[in-house]
Amino acid sequence: MRKPSLFRLFVTAVIVIGGASLAWVTATRTAGVVEGGPLLLWVMLGCVIVAELLPINVVLRGQEGELLTSTAFAFATLIAFGPGAAVPALCIASVIGDVARRKPLQRVLFNVGQYAIALTLTGVLMETITVVPRAPLASFIGADLPLLLVCGIVFFVVNTALVATVIALASGYPVWTYFASDFILQSSTAGFALGLSPLMVIVGEFSVGMLPLLALPIVAIHRNTRQAVLSEHQALHDALTGLPNRVLFHDRVRQAIESARRHGSTSAVMVMDLDHFKEINDTLGHYHGDRLLQLVGQRLSSLLRSEDTVARMGGDEFAVLLPSVGDQSYALDVAEKMLDALRASFEIDGLTLEVGASIGIGCFPDHGEDGETLLQRADIAMYVAKAAHSGAQLYEIAQDQHSVQRLALAGELRRAIENDELVLHYQPKVDVATGRVVGAEALCRWQHPSLGLIMPDEFVPMAEHTGLITPLTKTVLNIALQQVADWRSQGHRLSIAINLSARSFLDSQLLDDIPELLAVWRVDPALLELEITESMIVGDPERARAVLERLNELGITLAIDDFGTGYSSLAYLKQLPVDEIKIDKSFVLQMSGSHNDETIVRSIIDLAHNLDLRAVAEGVEDQGILNRLTELGCDVAQGYHISRPLPPDRLEQWMSSFPLRSTWLSAAGAAA
């Protein structure tokens, strides 16, 4: 049999003790007050009920709650007529209000118990230390006020403590921490209103008809508190999704760690980044991007437990807090469920959108002792997951050395772009039939001042994730077109090929940058060749076709890179305005030893020629492959057997010695 939780034991105790208090007060005090009760008594009862029906709804530390001024009218009733009238009045009003708001039975009973305990305790104290109420009607004198103030403080503290304790136990936060926060919030509303209770009695004793005038300050308290609560909510929540923001998330992580440290339990923090969100935003506009973020937030929130937190940290980055998990494997299971939920498509205004995600997980205490460390390590794990396309990844200490360097590089990348630290190396492309150099593929490198030459695999993903891919692509285009202009001045008409990332290809800024740069360097658009992959086309074929048609109108040469490795659709391929197909090097490299790979290469060459496209083979690494490509009718070749990627000055030296003659096939190896 499972042991009851502390939360359930506390709720049960409050209900039982409160019920007993209500029964005792009703049996011993109520009859004498109600019989022949004056009009003021019934007006007070009505005010208690009306105030209970007009709560201010708030969310404090993730738990829903209410601020009520009905306690002020109940305390006034206590002063005027004693606990026999006040306790039943507040309990009846609580039941009416809770039933009207359709609260569950347990919560209705708890609220009755909470009010009965606080008001009965206060009533007994008031009867002990004062002579209020005085007969024959509600009345008190100035000397009573200090003692009534003490009674009011006791009622307020007991009532607030009971509510704070049950919410803290339900959420796992420390009782004292929650009590302190709730006490401050309640003081600004119920506390101020409670101070009006003696005035209510005085006004009611003077004239019951004037009692409604006190509604004006009560309304002012309601309005000001509601605005303060709204302002606090806006400061702690994301305006677009309504989810907690970075500030509130950090606070909840801190609270969860404190609770986990006391109970010896495990907490998990996840950092999640959406895949391909920028493409959706750039392609369809911010409206669809914003709606997608809202739907992602709703889907994640509905998937997790009530005590868990989903926050939007900014952009397309979300974070999740699991304040209590059995072990790390549970956190990983939750991450997989989140990924599965996001794999289902999103419907936005008739459009079907699909988005993936990468999730990194850090757990307390194994991966860090504070929130900042946990979030940093979850972020590291997320980058590992993104790079490996693994979906979700737990942090491992072995990731740190590489990731620290990666984080440092990410911070330096913008400076590198601005300070001209990016350089291009060029791998020549040769006409297979004639041996003439027809162009080169530009391959970006980062000439880091202390780390040396950094390959694009290390910094291009950073650029995509940090939003630097657009300035990086423009920089590469600028350097490449300047090189084409330099070659032209030396008498060489050579094309330049640039491989576009998915985000660059779908970035509308690209269509503005290219004509501008072509004009600056006065380069024939046909000499600029842009390479895209099959997956970029198939992922959004209509958008891809529109972009390609626009680029084609500019006169730019277009190529499909890594052909044969994606999810090709011939139906789309024949409609696209492309000029050449690049055969993936994985097939070319294995031609000599694999009949199947040679068959694939032959088929791609035939397909290209049947569609009036050029066939380009990359990965040519020996003479035998080069000879066979010539026999198969391949148009252009590139690879280490011809030349490795070279910086501009070495490429010019290479071109001056490269054999431009029909016998180049036998001499190419020596020249390379």
Side-chain angles (χ1 to χ4, degrees):
M1 186 174 181
R2 189 170 62 178
K3 183 180 179 180
S5 66
L6 187 58
F7 167 79
R8 292 187 179 277
L9 289 174
F10 181 78
V11 169
T12 303
V14 170
I15 293 173
V16 171
I17 296 173
S21 301
L22 176 60
W24 177 73
V25 169
T26 304
T28 61
R29 303 286 200 283
T30 302
V33 177
V34 173
E35 291 177 4
L39 177 61
L40 179 59
L41 172 63
W42 305 109
V43 172
M44 287 284 195
L45 176 59
C47 289
V48 173
I49 294 174
V50 171
E52 186 72 24
L53 290 171
L54 298 174
I56 302 173
N57 296 318
V58 299
V59 177
L60 187 62
R61 296 192 181 278
Q63 297 295 322
E64 294 184 3
E66 297 164 343
L67 297 178
L68 296 161
T69 55
S70 57
T71 53
F73 290 101
F75 190 69
T77 305
L78 181 66
I79 296 173
F81 302 103
V87 175
L90 188 54
C91 290
I92 291 170
S94 177
V95 171
I96 292 173
D98 288 349
V99 170
R101 291 186 285 275
R102 299 181 179 180
K103 293 184 179 179
L105 178 61
Q106 185 186 54
R107 193 165 176 183
V108 174
L109 295 176
F110 176 85
N111 288 341
V112 169
Q114 155 216 332
Y115 282 145
I117 292 172
L119 210 50
T120 299
L121 182 62
T122 306
V124 171
L125 177 65
M126 187 177 294
E127 290 178 344
T128 303
I129 66 174
T130 74
V131 290
V132 176
R134 287 185 170 86
L137 189 62
S139 63
F140 61 90
I141 61 177
D144 295 326
L145 285 176
L147 298 177
L148 292 178
L149 177 61
V150 171
C151 293
I153 292 173
V154 169
F155 172 70
F156 181 69
V157 170
V158 172
N159 191 55
T160 303
L162 290 173
V163 175
T165 300
V166 74
I167 296 180
L169 291 175
S171 61
Y173 291 116
V175 174
W176 172 250
T177 301
Y178 187 90
F179 173 77
S181 301
D182 193 38
F183 187 86
I184 294 171
L185 186 61
Q186 292 279 359
S187 297
S188 64
T189 308
F192 286 153
L194 208 60
L196 295 175
S197 298
L199 182 60
M200 295 176 187
V201 178
I202 294 173
V203 171
E205 188 177 23
F206 177 77
S207 172
V208 175
M210 295 184 67
L211 198 58
L213 292 177
L214 290 176
L216 295 177
I218 297 295
V219 168
I221 292 173
H222 259 268
R223 182 173 181 178
N224 291 339
T225 304
R226 189 183 296 274
Q227 186 60 45
V229 169
L230 178 61
S231 298
E232 182 180 9
H233 184 274
Q234 291 174 340
L236 297 175
H237 290 77
D238 174 53
L240 177 63
T241 63
L243 296 173
N245 62 13
R246 183 181 295 273
V247 175
L248 182 54
F249 187 78
H250 276 272
D251 181 63
R252 291 188 179 176
V253 170
R254 179 179 59 81
Q255 297 289 345
I257 289 175
E258 288 179 6
S259 178
R261 184 176 285 116
R262 283 197 316 275
H263 296 98
S265 57
T266 299
S267 296
V269 172
M270 302 182 187
V271 174
M272 185 185 80
D273 182 77
L274 298 181
D275 297 333
H276 311 305
F277 173 77
K278 189 177 187 301
E279 290 94 315
I280 292 173
N281 218 30
D282 292 342
T283 302
L284 301 177
H286 291 291
Y287 169 76
H288 287 84
D290 289 348
R291 284 291 297 132
L292 179 61
L293 291 174
Q294 291 170 342
L295 293 175
V296 167
Q298 293 170 14
R299 190 172 291 184
L300 293 176
S301 298
S302 65
L303 180 70
L304 300 174
R305 304 169 300 183
S306 59
E307 63 264 33
D308 301 332
T309 297
V310 180
R312 183 185 176 212
M313 306 297 274
D316 60 344
E317 184 178 333
F318 292 80
V320 173
L321 167 65
L322 307 179
S324 179
V325 297
D327 52 31
Q328 295 181 14
S329 62
Y330 175 83
L332 193 57
D333 289 342
V334 172
E336 292 295 345
K337 289 179 182 178
M338 291 165 54
L339 293 171
D340 288 340
L342 293 178
R343 288 187 184 105
S345 59
F346 293 86
E347 298 291 333
I348 301 177
D349 293 346
L351 292 177
T352 300
L353 302 179
E354 295 187 1
V355 63
S358 299
I359 300 176
I361 307 168
C363 294
F364 170 87
D366 298 325
H367 302 148
E369 294 286 334
D370 59 83
E372 195 65 37
T373 301
L374 280 182
L375 281 167
Q376 182 187 54
R377 290 179 173 173
D379 192 57
I380 288 171
M382 185 271 289
Y383 272 99
V384 173
K386 184 177 285 290
H389 304 289
S390 58
Q393 177 71 49
L394 276 165
Y395 170 80
E396 297 176 2
I397 194 169
Q399 300 165 358
D400 248 347
Q401 184 176 1
H402 167 73
S403 298
V404 168
Q405 179 179 326
R406 181 196 56 76
L407 289 173
L409 288 177
E412 297 176 5
L413 184 55
R414 184 182 298 277
R415 184 215 67 205
I417 296 172
E418 295 172 351
N419 293 350
D420 299 326
E421 292 178 13
L422 298 182
V423 297
L424 297 186
H425 287 191
Y426 303 90
Q427 185 172 46
K429 298 167 65 177
V430 177
D431 185 298
V432 173
T434 65
R436 184 173 61 90
V437 179
V438 294
E441 179 175 356
L443 301 167
C444 188
R445 307 285 189 262
W446 178 358
Q447 188 65 57
H448 194 280
S450 59
L451 298 177
L453 207 60
I454 301 175
M455 295 295 106
D457 289 348
E458 293 189 51
F459 63 85
V460 170
M462 295 178 201
E464 292 183 324
H465 182 70
T466 57
L468 292 174
I469 192 63
T470 297
L472 186 148
T473 302
K474 185 173 183 179
T475 298
V476 169
L477 284 166
N478 185 63
I479 297 172
L481 292 176
Q482 182 182 10
Q483 184 61 57
V484 173
D486 289 345
W487 287 336
R488 180 188 59 209
S489 65
Q490 298 170 22
H492 303 299
R493 180 180 170 82
L494 300 176
S495 67
I496 197 81
I498 297 174
N499 196 306
L500 293 180
S501 71
R503 290 198 172 186
S504 296
F505 176 60
L506 292 175
D507 191 341
S508 57
Q509 184 65 38
L510 180 72
L511 297 176
D512 297 326
D513 291 339
I514 289 177
E516 174 188 325
L517 293 173
L518 287 170
V520 167
W521 298 109
R522 294 181 295 171
V523 170
D524 181 354
L527 295 180
L528 174 60
E529 181 178 312
L530 299 179
E531 299 179 0
I532 59 173
T533 63
E534 293 175 83
S535 58
M536 290 160 56
I537 298 172
V538 177
D540 189 348
E542 295 305 318
R543 169 64 175 167
R545 180 178 177 182
V547 173
L548 289 172
E549 287 177 348
R550 176 74 185 279
L551 293 172
N552 182 61
E553 290 171 0
L554 295 174
I556 293 167
T557 302
L558 301 170
I560 298 178
D561 195 17
D562 300 335
F563 191 84
T565 61
Y567 305 94
S568 305
S569 170
L570 296 181
Y572 283 118
L573 181 60
K574 69 179 182 180
Q575 299 173 21
L576 297 176
V578 296
D579 301 285
E580 67 181 39
I581 293 175
K582 296 192 72 174
I583 308 168
D584 187 70
K585 62 183 178 182
S586 62
F587 302 121
V588 177
L589 287 170
Q590 301 299 322
M591 279 181 61
S592 301
S594 170
H595 175 73
N596 289 337
D597 285 312
E598 181 176 322
T599 300
I600 291 173
V601 172
R602 181 194 301 114
S603 299
I604 294 175
I605 293 172
D606 292 342
L607 172 65
H609 291 164
N610 289 333
L611 294 174
D612 293 326
L613 306 176
R614 288 187 301 276
V616 179
E618 51 185 354
V620 178
E621 296 195 358
D622 61 52
Q623 188 68 37
I625 291 176
L626 187 56
N627 290 337
R628 187 61 181 138
L629 287 171
T630 304
E631 295 169 2
L632 295 176
C634 186
D635 300 295
V636 177
Q638 67 180 94
Y640 284 2
H641 181 64
I642 299 170
S643 174
R644 293 176 176 273
L646 301 171
D649 54 344
R650 289 185 57 196
L651 178 68
E652 291 166 10
Q653 295 175 9
W654 178 88
M655 284 193 297
S656 65
S657 62
F658 187 74
L660 300 178
R661 57 182 185 270
S662 59
T663 58
W664 82 280
L665 288 175
S666 60

